[in-house]
Amino acid sequence: MSKHTLSVMVENEPGVLSRVAGLFSGRGFNIYSLNVAPTLEKGVSLMTIVAEGDDGIVEQIVKQLRKLVPTIKVKDLTELQSVEREMVLLKVNAEDSKRAEILRIVDIFRCKVVDVSVDELTIEVTGDQGKIGAIINLLNRFGIKEIARTGNVAMRRSMQIEL
Amino acid sequence: MKLTGAQILLKCLEEEGVDVMFGFPGGAVIDIYDEIPNSSVEHILVRHEQGAIHAADGYARATGRVGVCLVTSGPGATNTVTGIATAYADSIPVVIFTGQVPRALIGNDAFQEVDIVGITRPCTKHNYLVQDIKDLARTVKQAFYLARSGRPGPVLVDLPKDIQQQVTEFEYPDSVSMRSYKPTRKPHIGQIRKVVKLLKKAKRPLIYSGGGVITSGSHEDLTWLGQTLRIPVTSTLMGLGAFPGDDELFLGMLGMHGTYAANMAVNNCDLLLAVGARFDDRVTGKVDTFAPNATIVHIDVDPTSIQKNVSVHVPLVADCKPALASLKAETEGTLDEFDWAADHKPWVEMVQGWAKEHPLTYKDDSENIKPQFVVEKIYEITKGDAIIATEVGQNQMWAAQFYKYARPNTLLTSGGLGTMGYGFPAALGAQRAFPDKLVLDIAGDGSIQMCIQEMMTAVCNKLPVKIIILNNGYLGMVRQWQELFYDKNYCATCMDAQPDFVKLAEAYGAAGYRVTEKKDVEKTLREAFAVDKPVIVDIRVEKEENVYPMVPAGASLTEMLLV
């Protein structure tokens, strides 16, 4: 089982999200994260879906997505070099004694503090899955009180470089 | 021309060439019903919405055209769900129009409101809620296009009541343009040539033909390929009729209740040419041991069907019709230089040997009437020239095994979903399409009771369908499983308490016959077939007869229980 990032371009018509989500639930496929937003083109939305499964399952997911009438294009970005980003808001316990250390971590990870109170900091983190995982790990020991994640957004790199 | 939504809908149906729709009125579709008398589209009133969708489905299967049904909102719409799922499972083109509460009330739990678009999303090819009257004509055009193109299927259009009442300019689009929907039709010629090469190399080729051959109308090319290249042909339940059932190369069905010859052929072939079939679990048995020695070629218009259940070596995404036409064209040129018949002779003889060794048969060893005997008699009397609908269960399997389907679109049966209650209303749809044909529903005593209310539809509309009940007093197929795998614990499968089917037929104004003696079977069937009105023939058959051969669920195709 591995994670695959799928970029799915769809007609922005009523019920399209439900059709896509229903396809996953109805066939027992697992969605790890799902992000939807409009594109520059009117009436077209882009979904970034991170799904789990072995190669056979992912092949079937891609085919089933293509089969949906409102689907315009499906790309499995896992095979390609791509840029992936997620934004996370983290509300962390931050009493005076811990605050400096938390701010140091924020600085190292090039995050932003977007809200402050007497004993909490809310931090905006943007990055790939590795960076998000790392900062969550580091801040966990201070006590993360709330977390809100957008799920991955991804785009194929313009130049596919052979390494 | 300014028209109301209801008038526009009927105009659209006329433009699509719809001559009949099956339906049941209600508050949310009164406006459409109000316009029906002004339209050339005939409406057939059923007695339950499930009957409407199955009849539309039967009409579609028998004619190859799109079937249409119209029902009201809420319970009217939900009553069609089983039929929609049935059509979806078997890829049947049907367009379903459902009434919906006025837009202002949608989402307010209004009287007879249900989110039918949400409910049917997983069992339709696509569905629509029309939210703007300006979209109505285009939506109907798209619905018909989607239903019949690519891999066909049911499409539902939900029509709010206020949309039916609004007025707008009517213009029917000439064509459909959907950038997100462009089904592949033509085969890749490189792949076709690869298949021809494989065919030439193969010593033991086998064609495995499915419903896609019938849907796409490619039975003639399939028959040509089988007969000219001398390749034995086996079929799924849905594919029966695509290759002549009485041809010496035809092995009958494969799979759970397939023939010994077909299952052995699958096990021993070195090339399996799967055409318009989807490797259903009832066909493959244990997947790991399916066609273990074969290179598998799979032709299907739906890419999701390829590599779904079975790993194939040569995928070919295309409509069966151009694909088989292309295969024919490529092999026609080889006939002078390549002796297909000589090359395949030993294999054909081997396969025919299996067929002789274990033909489809039954033990006619008691005084009681064997159900297989009845189906054989039906075939004998009709000479294969009838449209046969079936219910689901043992009756369905015997109808598939012992009747030789010579032409496509002559077997109407719920293959994928296995819907009891399907056969009779489907037969009504077929009879409406072909008033002069003999249309039969081969039924069990259990399944016929699921949509028997449509007898009134049959009588009112002079649709002289003949129902042949193979009455064994059991839900026979489940009983068979209980006998073989559940230590004869016949829990809830005994149907001893039954209506008097003869009186029931008469109560509806149809004719009823009962047969209890073997000697009366043929005579009564002949008499019943001659009656110009709907008929029930209640035939009391051997109670605990089983369907054989049988491959137990999860076993390999070669592990057959024989008679």
Side-chain angles (χ1 to χ4, degrees), chain B residues 89-105:
Chain B
D90 290 341
S91 310
I92 305 303
V94 183
V95 175
I96 306 101
F97 294 101
T98 50
Q100 183 54 278
V101 299
R103 281 173 302 165
L105 295 181

Side-chain angles (χ1 to χ4, degrees), chain B residues 327 358 361 411 434:
Chain B
L327 266 182
H358 292 289
T361 188
L411 171 65
F434 297 103

Side-chain angles (χ1 to χ4, degrees), chain A residues 11 13-15 18-19 27 41-42 44 59-60 63-64 66-72, chain B residues 88 117 121 124-128 131 146 151 178-181 302-304 306-308:
Chain A
E11 298 279 2
E13 60 181 47
S18 162
R19 269 181 222 287
R27 293 176 182 273
E41 194 175 347
K42 205 178 161 205
V44 175
E59 184 187 340
Q60 192 56 215
K63 284 177 172 176
Q64 293 287 352
R66 287 192 179 127
K67 188 173 160 180
L68 288 178
V69 171
T71 303
I72 299 166
Chain B
Y88 186 66
V117 169
R121 207 165 270 143
T124 48
K125 182 170 174 183
H126 195 56
N127 58 16
Y128 297 91
Q131 304 215 52
L146 286 174
R151 178 178 180 171
M178 299 167 76
R179 75 166 170 174
S180 60
Y181 177 77
D302 179 1
T304 67
I306 295 175
Q307 308 287 18
K308 185 166 63 183

Side-chain angles (χ1 to χ4, degrees), chain B residues 245-268:
Chain B
D246 55 358
D247 193 289
E248 55 164 4
L249 288 166
F250 187 61
L251 309 179
M253 272 197 309
L254 77 166
M256 182 175 274
H257 293 298
T259 64
Y260 179 81
N263 287 345
M264 290 302 286
V266 171
N267 198 54
N268 288 281

Side-chain angles (χ1 to χ4, degrees), chain B residues 376-445:
Chain B
E376 280 179 340
K377 279 290 158 211
I378 293 172
Y379 178 66
E380 219 176 285
I381 297 167
T382 61
K383 299 184 180 71
D385 187 25
I387 295 175
I388 307 286
T390 79
E391 301 296 338
V392 166
Q394 288 183 316
N395 61 83
Q396 179 185 32
M397 289 300 112
W398 287 318
Q401 290 177 330
F402 290 89
Y403 193 97
K404 297 185 180 76
Y405 299 89
R407 284 189 306 282
N409 309 104
T410 53
L411 171 65
L412 319 177
T413 193
S414 171
L417 199 68
T419 308
M420 290 171 73
Y422 167 80
F424 181 39
L428 297 181
Q431 186 78 81
R432 166 58 185 75
F434 297 103
D436 301 326
K437 274 257 177 203
L438 178 62
V439 181
L440 310 177
D441 175 33
I442 295 181
D445 47 296

